[in-house]
Amino acid sequence: MSEIDNLQKADGIEENKSIINNDDTTENTSSEINETTPVEISQINSDETPVEVTEPVNEDSPEEKTEESDASEKEDVINEIEESNAEDAEDEGNKERHTIEVKEYDKMSLESLAIELEKLLKNEKIQAIKAPVNDINNEFKTKFQALLDEKKTEFLNDGGNEIDFYYSSPIQKRFKTAYKEYRNKLNDHYKSLEKNLKQNLADKLEIIEELKGLLSVEENINTTYKHFKELQEKWRNTGPIPRDKYNNAWNSYHHHVERFYDFLHLNRDLRDLDFKHNLDKKLKIIERAEELAQDDNIMRSFRELQELHKMWKEELGPVAREHREGIWERFKVATKIINDKRQVYYKEIDKVYEKNLENKLKIIASIDAINTQENSSHSSWQKKIKEIEALRNDFFNAGKVPIKVNEATWAKFKDSVRTFNKKKNAFYKGLKKEQFENLKKKLELIKIAEDNKDSEDVQVTTALMKKIQSDWKKIGHVPRKDSDKIWKQFKTACNYYFDRLHSKRNAANHEQVDAYNKKQELLSSLKELSLSGEKDKDLSTIKEQIEKWKNIGRVPNDKRYIEGKFNKSLDGLFSNLKMDKNEVEMIKYENKLENLNRTDDDNRNLDNERSFIRKKIDEVKSQINQLENNLQFFTNVDDDNPLVKEVHNNIKTHKQALTLWKTKLSKIKELY
């Protein structure tokens, strides 16, 4: 059995047990107890071991008063604290780690996360930012993956192939650059730390060797005691050592400190002076702990409490036996108050996390409800896409949830969104096929428009252009990438044709306005026209005016009322010639037909006129038949009867009218 083992057994300390030696000089090079592990009162044992010890320490320890049922739990907690102390001993930046502000990274944008990472690299020690950097990195990956899924969906909806999808963001590049810098700096830190750990271990082993030599040095006890205190201070100021060497080095150091105190009992004055110094310091620690127990800033109080326990355990030696249990109990009470407040604080945080979880589950349920709805149109899908986007934002802004369900909640959310995207993609794939069919139809209309844009057949082409424009509106959507291109192509062809047509019509309109003005002048001259009284001569004069009128040309459509004025003037002139009414009517009708034949859409106007004449002929024939049928009802009535005479006169009038209409029809046929 080693020398260290012998001493531990003699002092009642069993190796690897949960009770920490009650000599407070036990080394803990951690700058503070791990923040995530509450400091229970029973975890740090009572005060110092007296110099002259004849009984096992654990019999005097306050821990012996605790319930046996807590022993296993305490042992686990102590082991966890000791392991944490050894781990923290390798981290010189432990203090700095706890001073970094914890922010709500889940509510930050991608750009804000990149900026925050750059700030940490610039302003904080590299060994102090591991936790926030990990949080930032996880949040950035989550949000960027969501953005990537969104961009991929848009790409597929636009007709792209999944294998061709690629998306790169300047923010992603910026973040990757900063994160790579963090990894490089951290690696450099660990290399430097490893070198320092080895040197610190060598320095502490040298201190242990010097402690060994104190007992064999022949010099004044005061000088030896001063040298001992210098070695203690040197040990405390020496930096961290490798974790796997931590316990062995400390046990060896502690063993030789114990031997020196045994040696020191020969000079009780120095020992009592040391006890008094340690008591004063520990009372100040207790007073500060009691102040912290009243502080409302729970986490700050807890961090400082860890420092107080470190000072109590590492920096101060034993006190007199009569004060030992009393000050330890007082320190325990203050520590328990702070611990209890911290537990309440974490319970409140847990309540917030549970509420956030409840909200996130409601959001997921809302997405699932949308997934059950049927959407059969582009507009309805666009509406649902906006709703899902709003729910996604609500989910990301809902805050953190308990760690134990974080991954499961995120997976459930992704599954719900993925289900929506699958249904949406299936709809748009079907819609895409329809859009390609629509594209083919519209390309055919473009070909028709371009083939006929230079046509001179105004009547046919204008009707055709109007029809294909109407057909274009009836055809549904085409792929977005083709939409603007084909519309511009179709619009250009149609505009080209109608611009030509309007240009011709504008020129014709100018001529028609000029013709109107000339006809106004001719109409005014007819009012002053005087006839000779000779029928043939006057008839020739009137026909000469009619010919002049015809030669002037067509007037604008909104000025065609002037033709009625001209016919009215002709009626006045013809009335002086004592001519047959039907003959006069035919002269005016021939003038009308001439005007109809001069128009651009003459065929249509002549067709309409022919249909009108035929309809009038049918009407007159029907009226004559009706009148002749009526005569059959007059039996045994003389022809001199007034009613019979009226019927015969009406038949005669209608037959004359029928002759006139037939003459007009023959004139129209001559034009064809």
Side-chain angles (χ1 to χ4, degrees):
M1 186 177 293
S2 69
E3 185 179 11
I4 294 176
D5 293 333
N6 287 329
L7 182 65
Q8 288 177 331
K9 189 169 186 63
D11 286 343
I13 302 175
E14 299 181 24
E15 187 178 4
N16 296 326
K17 296 299 182 181
S18 63
I19 305 301
I20 299 178
N21 187 290
N22 62 358
D23 184 339
D24 275 357
T25 56
T26 302
E27 176 67 0
N28 179 3
T29 54
S30 169
S31 58
E32 40 182 66
I33 298 172
N34 192 315
E35 183 177 337
T36 61
T37 306
V39 179
E40 299 294 343
I41 303 304
S42 61
Q43 294 170 9
I44 300 179
N45 207 341
S46 178
D47 218 328
E48 306 77 25
T49 305
V51 173
E52 298 180 16
V53 137
T54 59
E55 298 175 336
V57 176
N58 55 357
E59 292 181 4
D60 292 333
S61 171
E63 274 79 0
E64 292 297 316
K65 299 178 183 180
T66 62
E67 295 292 337
E68 292 182 3
S69 60
D70 295 336
S72 177
E73 179 181 354
K74 291 174 184 174
E75 182 174 347
D76 292 340
V77 173
I78 293 300
N79 289 338
E80 181 180 349
I81 291 176
E82 290 179 345
E83 175 63 25
S84 176
N85 288 343
E87 180 179 355
D88 288 344
E90 291 188 359
D91 186 1
E92 295 175 312
N94 199 37
K95 288 185 179 180
E96 289 81 349
R97 179 171 65 243
H98 298 297
T99 61
I100 296 175
E101 179 185 1
V102 178
K103 299 184 178 180
E104 295 179 321
Y105 301 122
D106 55 319
K107 295 183 179 179
M108 291 186 178
S109 65
L110 291 172
E111 183 175 9
S112 298
L113 290 170
I115 293 173
E116 189 64 26
L117 177 57
E118 291 170 345
K119 285 182 179 178
L120 289 175
L121 288 173
K122 180 179 179 181
N123 301 326
E124 305 291 347
K125 291 184 177 181
I126 197 68
Q127 68 270 27
I129 62 175
K130 179 179 180 180
V133 168
N134 287 341
D135 289 343
I136 291 172
N137 185 45
N138 291 336
E139 197 63 43
F140 187 93
K141 288 193 295 185
T142 298
K143 291 192 172 183
F144 187 78
Q145 184 61 47
L147 175 63
L148 200 64
D149 292 342
E150 180 182 338
K151 295 295 183 183
K152 184 175 183 179
T153 298
E154 291 180 1
F155 177 78
L156 295 177
N157 289 341
D158 288 340
N161 293 322
E162 185 171 0
I163 194 173
D164 297 326
F165 175 74
Y166 174 77
Y167 178 75
S168 178
S169 167
I171 297 301
Q172 182 194 27
K173 293 179 180 178
R174 179 177 180 180
F175 184 85
K176 283 185 174 180
T177 299
Y179 191 74
K180 183 177 180 181
E181 180 184 352
Y182 163 74
R183 297 299 304 174
N184 291 338
K185 285 186 175 181
L186 190 63
N187 289 335
D188 292 341
H189 164 73
Y190 283 138
K191 290 178 181 178
S192 175
L193 181 60
E194 183 180 5
K195 180 180 179 181
N196 292 335
L197 292 175
K198 291 180 179 180
Q199 182 60 48
N200 293 339
L201 176 61
D203 293 341
K204 286 198 171 186
L205 292 177
E206 184 178 340
I207 292 172
I208 292 172
E209 292 300 318
E210 290 190 53
L211 280 174
K212 289 181 183 179
L214 288 179
L215 303 181
S216 60
V217 175
E218 295 182 1
E219 60 182 2
N220 183 279
I221 190 64
N222 290 331
T223 302
T224 303
Y225 180 74
K226 182 180 179 182
H227 190 186
F228 168 74
K229 300 301 287 185
E230 289 173 350
L231 290 175
Q232 279 190 312
E233 184 67 20
K234 186 177 180 182
W235 177 275
R236 284 192 290 267
N237 292 333
T238 302
I241 63 177
R243 192 184 314 175
D244 57 341
K245 307 294 184 183
Y246 175 78
N247 286 331
N248 288 337
W250 166 245
N251 287 335
S252 180
Y253 169 76
H254 174 67
H255 164 68
H256 292 290
V257 168
E258 287 286 334
R259 290 187 64 195
F260 182 80
Y261 270 107
D262 289 340
F263 171 74
L264 192 63
H265 80 278
L266 299 175
N267 190 324
R268 292 182 177 274
D269 290 340
L270 285 177
R271 188 188 67 177
D272 292 343
L273 182 65
D274 201 21
F275 281 175
K276 183 177 183 305
H277 168 78
N278 294 334
L279 178 62
D280 291 341
K281 292 291 185 180
K282 290 193 172 183
L283 287 174
K284 289 181 181 180
I285 289 176
I286 293 170
E287 291 171 0
R288 180 54 184 162
E290 290 171 342
E291 290 177 3
L292 293 175
Q294 306 304 317
D295 194 341
D296 292 331
N297 192 323
I298 299 169
M299 298 310 297
R300 181 179 64 193
S301 299
F302 182 75
R303 284 194 292 269
E304 189 170 342
L305 177 66
Q306 289 176 307
E307 287 296 314
L308 295 179
H309 275 273
K310 174 180 177 294
M311 292 169 61
W312 185 288
K313 185 173 184 290
E314 295 183 12
E315 298 181 14
L316 299 176
V319 301
R321 176 182 289 274
E322 62 267 22
H323 301 297
R324 189 176 310 142
E325 186 170 345
I327 62 173
W328 174 244
E329 287 296 328
R330 186 177 168 187
F331 191 32
K332 280 201 307 183
V333 170
T335 300
K336 187 175 187 305
I337 292 174
I338 297 174
N339 276 333
D340 290 345
K341 290 172 70 175
R342 181 171 178 268
Q343 293 303 316
V344 171
Y345 170 77
Y346 277 116
K347 286 180 180 179
E348 292 301 319
I349 291 180
D350 289 341
K351 289 180 182 179
V352 173
Y353 286 0
E354 289 293 339
K355 184 63 178 177
N356 294 343
L357 174 62
E358 182 181 342
N359 292 335
K360 287 193 171 184
L361 291 177
K362 287 180 179 179
I363 292 171
I364 294 172
S366 297
I367 297 175
D368 290 338
I370 291 176
N371 289 338
T372 62
Q373 300 172 5
E374 293 297 329
N375 302 290
S376 57
S377 66
H378 171 71
S379 59
S380 64
W381 272 107
Q382 290 301 305
K383 181 179 178 182
K384 291 297 183 291
I385 289 171
K386 290 180 180 179
E387 291 178 10
I388 293 295
E389 183 63 26
L391 289 172
R392 285 178 71 255
N393 291 334
D394 291 342
F395 185 89
F396 289 134
N397 294 329
K400 295 182 178 180
V401 300
I403 295 177
K404 61 183 179 181
V405 297
N406 184 50
E407 289 188 8
T409 306
W410 172 242
K412 192 173 182 180
F413 170 73
K414 286 196 298 183
D415 287 342
S416 296
V417 174
R418 190 178 292 114
T419 299
F420 174 81
N421 286 333
K422 285 181 179 178
K423 293 184 67 177
K424 178 188 65 175
N425 291 341
F427 169 79
Y428 278 105
K429 283 181 180 178
L431 187 63
K432 202 176 300 178
K433 182 178 180 182
E434 180 182 337
Q435 289 177 346
F436 279 118
E437 292 297 324
N438 293 338
L439 177 61
K440 291 180 181 178
K441 294 177 182 178
K442 288 192 173 183
L443 290 175
E444 290 175 0
L445 294 182
I446 290 174
K447 187 175 187 310
I448 294 173
E450 291 180 339
D451 288 346
N452 291 275
K453 66 180 182 178
D454 293 312
S455 174
E456 298 294 339
D457 190 345
V458 176
Q459 184 176 354
V460 174
T461 307
T462 300
L464 177 63
M465 286 295 189
K466 289 181 179 179
K467 181 180 182 303
I468 63 175
Q469 286 180 330
S470 176
D471 292 344
W472 183 280
K473 294 178 182 178
K474 295 175 183 177
I475 299 174
H477 294 285
V478 301
R480 189 185 305 175
K481 62 180 181 179
D482 300 307
S483 179
D484 291 342
K485 177 183 176 182
I486 64 171
W487 167 244
K488 184 178 180 181
Q489 193 175 355
F490 180 71
K491 182 180 177 182
T492 300
C494 291
N495 286 348
Y496 178 85
Y497 170 78
F498 284 107
D499 287 345
R500 284 181 56 247
L501 181 62
H502 294 154
S503 176
K504 288 183 178 181
R505 286 182 175 175
N506 289 338
N509 286 341
H510 181 74
E511 295 177 0
Q512 290 172 3
V513 171
D514 186 53
Y516 171 75
N517 293 331
K518 290 180 179 179
K519 285 189 174 184
Q520 281 279 37
E521 295 175 0
L522 181 58
L523 193 60
S524 298
S525 67
L526 289 179
K527 295 178 182 179
E528 301 175 359
L529 182 65
S530 59
L531 299 176
S532 63
E534 297 180 11
K535 179 182 177 181
D536 294 338
K537 184 178 180 181
D538 291 340
L539 180 60
S540 177
T541 301
I542 293 172
K543 288 185 176 181
E544 183 181 342
Q545 297 300 317
I546 291 174
E547 193 64 27
K548 285 182 181 180
W549 185 272
K550 291 179 182 179
N551 293 332
I552 290 175
R554 187 182 177 188
V555 299
N557 289 335
D558 60 340
K559 307 293 184 182
R560 294 184 68 176
Y561 62 83
I562 199 172
E563 298 293 337
K565 290 185 177 182
F566 179 68
N567 288 330
K568 198 170 185 180
S569 296
L570 292 180
D571 289 341
L573 294 174
F574 281 122
S575 63
N576 296 324
L577 298 183
K578 298 179 182 180
M579 290 180 62
D580 180 69
K581 183 178 179 180
N582 285 349
E583 185 181 359
V584 172
E585 180 64 25
M586 286 306 300
I587 293 174
K588 293 192 295 181
Y589 189 69
E590 288 176 0
N591 179 54
K592 177 181 178 180
L593 290 179
E594 184 69 22
N595 286 329
L596 289 178
N597 200 31
R598 289 175 180 268
T599 60
D600 292 337
D601 48 357
D602 53 336
N603 288 338
R604 186 182 63 183
N605 290 334
L606 288 174
D607 288 343
N608 291 340
E609 183 67 17
R610 181 171 59 178
S611 297
F612 174 74
I613 297 298
R614 284 178 172 172
K615 183 179 180 181
K616 295 302 292 185
I617 291 174
D618 291 340
E619 289 177 359
V620 173
K621 285 181 177 180
S622 177
Q623 290 171 351
I624 291 173
N625 289 335
Q626 183 64 41
L627 289 171
E628 289 177 346
N629 288 337
N630 290 342
L631 283 177
Q632 295 177 9
F633 291 100
F634 295 98
T635 57
N636 299 322
V637 179
D638 294 335
D639 290 340
D640 293 335
N641 185 286
L643 289 176
V644 175
K645 283 184 177 182
E646 183 179 355
V647 172
H648 281 295
N649 288 335
N650 284 340
I651 292 174
K652 182 180 179 181
T653 302
H654 281 83
K655 286 184 177 181
Q656 290 174 351
L658 180 60
T659 301
L660 180 60
W661 288 118
K662 288 182 176 181
T663 303
K664 288 182 178 180
L665 181 59
S666 64
K667 288 294 183 183
I668 293 176
K669 289 181 178 180
E670 290 176 5
L671 294 177
Y672 280 99

